[in-house]
Amino acid sequence: MPVWFLFLFYVAISLLPLGLAWSQGLPPRPILDEIASGAGLLAMSVLLAEFLLLSRYRVVARKAGTDIVMRMHQLLARAAAILALIHPFLYTARRQTAPDWDVSRQYFVTNEFWAIWPGALAWVLLPTLVLLAIGRSKMDFKYETWRLTHGLGSVLIAGFGVLHTVRAGRYSADPVLSTVWWVLLGIALLALVNTYLLRPFWRSLRPWKVTAVEPVGTRTWEVSVTPEGDHKLAYEAGQFAWLNIGHSPFSLAENPFSISSAPANGPEVRFIIKELGDTTNKIGQVQPGTRAYLDAPHGHLTIKGRKAKGVALIAGGVGIAPMMGILRELHRTGDTRPTTLIYTNRSRDQIARPNELEQLSAEHGTKIIHSLSEPDKDWTGEVGFITPALLQREFGDDSHRDWIYVLCGPPAMLEVVEEALINLGIPSSRIISERFSYD
């Protein structure tokens, strides 16, 4: 399924209510009134389509890319919030119950309480939810608390929004459009049920257990899990999983972590995890034998099936996790393509698996370049963050334009690296990336 088809599908869902409203052929109103109705219709349809965008459907993230899906979700939610906020202020028609002679509600906008109150609640909740999402990293919220709040808030906004739309909307009073709204709401809620009930139930039948928790760098651990049973995870090197350790499969206490193991090494799955938050701060205390659950595989940060004469891996901090998976897979499968890893950290003790990286360099031939922003006195490697000059030196000649470039790290680093690579003439189609966070 090509990316353009997924994009057109999303656009079609979002524009369907507007198209059905236009097809009704109702008498026109002043332009501001039509814009007000259009803004409300579009805001509601975009919000409902958002449920499908973030319901962990692998085909979506696999084709479009996890970064693009996440960024689309953020921008579309913010756009919908703006449309919803301006929607009630644009009407110029009189606000009262339409008299019997105004059957098409051409001259009046209803102000009946039973029709207005759901919309008023959704109108307050939507921008609140968006602002909480934008400021989540600056608030003292546990991830699980924020996730529960975000999910419940989204359901309330969707329900109140649709109820207001079919009760108060001029165009949504039409039986066909009214039915479409309820169907879209039902599909959105089913997507949530699939994510938070059906999939966890399936995972409960396929448990895993922790077999090892090893320190691999300062405040950085590699967690290994193996299946309890004959099931195994079919994944590609570089992908990620939603990992739940020590909780019910229905718990919200799960987080996305990149897989650091190689599929060719067998059923064991590994994750390199840095102590960065509520859950990860205690990752080193997890005991072997602890039950775990995986929702996987997800992500597009994989080189399988991509034709390239060489492989460039560029990682910042714990972004080394998927790179380790790719390097281990290349070595295990005997892939002889030239490979370069550029790996940046703050200090030497943050380098994960330094001895294994040296071994991979010796046995597989991977060229490994370390860069530290705060090096010690005897450091002989690169100093500072990854710069365009470093990328020019390593990938500046024409022979590197047919390589595949895999990036994982903080957003600021990726922006610099992506721009520098494109300036070197590397086609954007040969650059795949995955960010740690989104603003």
Side-chain angles (χ1 to χ4, degrees):
M1 187 182 299
V3 175
W4 63 263
F5 179 83
L6 295 172
F7 175 76
L8 289 179
F9 179 72
Y10 186 92
V11 171
I13 291 178
S14 300
L15 296 181
L16 177 61
L18 281 176
L20 292 174
W22 175 80
S23 68
Q24 293 174 27
L26 296 180
R29 300 173 297 175
I31 185 63
L32 285 178
D33 291 75
E34 297 296 353
I35 292 176
S37 291
L41 291 170
L42 187 57
M44 198 65 245
S45 59
V46 166
L47 288 174
L48 293 175
E50 289 275 78
F51 284 81
L52 297 179
L53 196 62
L54 286 185
S55 292
R56 301 188 193 175
Y57 292 119
R58 294 167 191 163
V59 65
V60 177
R62 176 72 175 174
K63 293 295 183 179
T66 305
D67 283 3
I68 293 176
V69 170
M70 286 297 300
R71 196 56 178 162
M72 278 184 62
H73 165 64
Q74 292 174 324
L75 295 178
L76 289 170
R78 295 172 192 181
I82 292 172
L83 290 172
L85 285 174
I86 65 174
H87 154 70
F89 296 105
L90 296 177
Y91 285 108
T92 61
R94 295 177 62 181
R95 297 173 186 269
Q96 67 179 65
T97 304
D100 292 341
W101 55 265
D102 189 14
V103 177
S104 65
R105 288 200 273 179
Q106 184 177 5
Y107 303 103
F108 296 88
V109 175
T110 185
N111 65 349
E112 294 176 288
F113 179 76
W114 73 281
I116 296 300
W117 74 261
L121 288 177
W123 188 87
V124 171
L125 287 173
L126 178 56
T128 301
L129 198 70
V130 171
L131 290 174
L132 286 175
I134 294 173
R136 176 172 65 92
S137 61
K138 300 179 177 63
M139 298 179 183
D140 190 21
F141 266 149
K142 287 187 176 181
Y143 174 73
E144 294 78 14
T145 303
W146 173 83
R147 190 175 165 199
L148 177 62
T149 303
H150 196 74
L152 291 178
S154 300
V155 171
L156 290 174
I157 291 167
F160 288 144
V162 168
L163 189 60
H164 166 71
T165 301
V166 298
R167 286 182 176 181
R170 180 200 192 203
Y171 296 104
S172 297
D174 175 74
V176 174
L177 184 49
S178 177
T179 300
V180 166
W181 283 124
W182 291 116
V183 169
L184 290 178
L185 177 61
I187 293 173
L189 296 180
L190 282 175
L192 282 185
V193 169
N194 179 56
T195 300
Y196 295 106
L197 291 178
L198 298 182
R199 285 188 181 178
F201 174 75
W202 174 248
R203 291 196 294 273
S204 71
L205 304 177
R206 301 163 64 88
W208 296 66
K209 66 178 177 181
V210 175
T211 52
V213 180
E214 306 173 68
V216 296
T218 299
R219 299 178 62 216
T220 305
W221 307 79
E222 186 160 41
V223 178
S224 303
V225 299
T226 56
E228 290 187 355
D230 58 0
H231 59 276
K232 62 181 181 178
L233 180 64
Y235 68 98
E236 297 174 12
Q239 291 189 293
F240 72 90
W242 286 83
L243 177 63
N244 174 341
I245 298 179
H247 301 279
S248 160
F250 298 94
S251 171
L252 295 178
E254 58 175 356
N255 290 270
F257 296 112
S258 293
I259 300 172
S260 58
S261 54
N265 281 338
E268 182 182 69
V269 178
R270 299 182 183 181
F271 303 89
I272 292 179
I273 302 173
K274 190 174 182 65
E275 297 176 11
L276 293 172
D278 299 317
T279 301
T280 56
N281 280 343
K282 298 180 180 180
I283 194 67
Q285 302 174 23
V286 174
Q287 297 298 312
T290 303
R291 178 160 286 185
Y293 299 95
L294 303 184
D295 182 358
H298 296 281
H300 69 299
L301 205 70
T302 171
I303 63 174
K304 185 175 181 179
R306 300 178 188 268
K307 294 182 179 179
K309 295 182 178 179
V311 180
L313 307 173
I314 303 174
V318 77
I320 192 63
M323 309 306 181
M324 288 298 299
I326 293 172
L327 284 174
R328 287 165 168 169
E329 182 74 357
L330 290 172
H331 180 46
R332 182 69 175 77
T333 58
D335 192 316
T336 59
R337 284 178 293 179
T339 306
T340 297
L341 168 67
I342 300 180
Y343 181 21
T344 181
N345 284 282
R346 183 173 56 82
S347 58
R348 188 198 297 259
D349 60 357
Q350 292 184 334
I351 298 174
R353 293 287 190 194
N355 294 334
E356 184 178 354
L357 288 175
E358 289 184 13
Q359 183 180 357
L360 285 169
S361 178
E363 296 180 1
H364 178 256
T366 301
K367 181 178 183 180
I368 297 179
I369 302 169
H370 291 287
S371 181
L372 301 181
S373 59
E374 298 179 11
D376 46 38
K377 293 182 179 179
D378 59 348
W379 177 252
T380 58
E382 297 288 334
V383 176
F385 298 105
I386 299 174
T387 64
L390 172 58
L391 297 172
Q392 168 72 39
R393 186 166 69 246
E394 295 300 323
F395 309 120
D397 60 86
D398 291 344
S399 64
H400 286 91
R401 294 185 182 180
D402 292 329
W403 283 34
I404 188 73
Y405 293 79
V406 187
L407 286 53
C408 186
M413 183 202 89
L414 296 191
E415 290 173 7
V416 171
V417 173
E418 288 173 352
E419 181 179 359
L421 290 175
I422 290 174
N423 289 338
L424 291 177
I426 308 300
S428 59
S429 60
R430 292 194 168 274
I431 303 172
I432 53 177
S433 64
E434 190 169 89
R435 286 163 168 75
F436 288 168
S437 60
Y438 306 84
D439 61 6

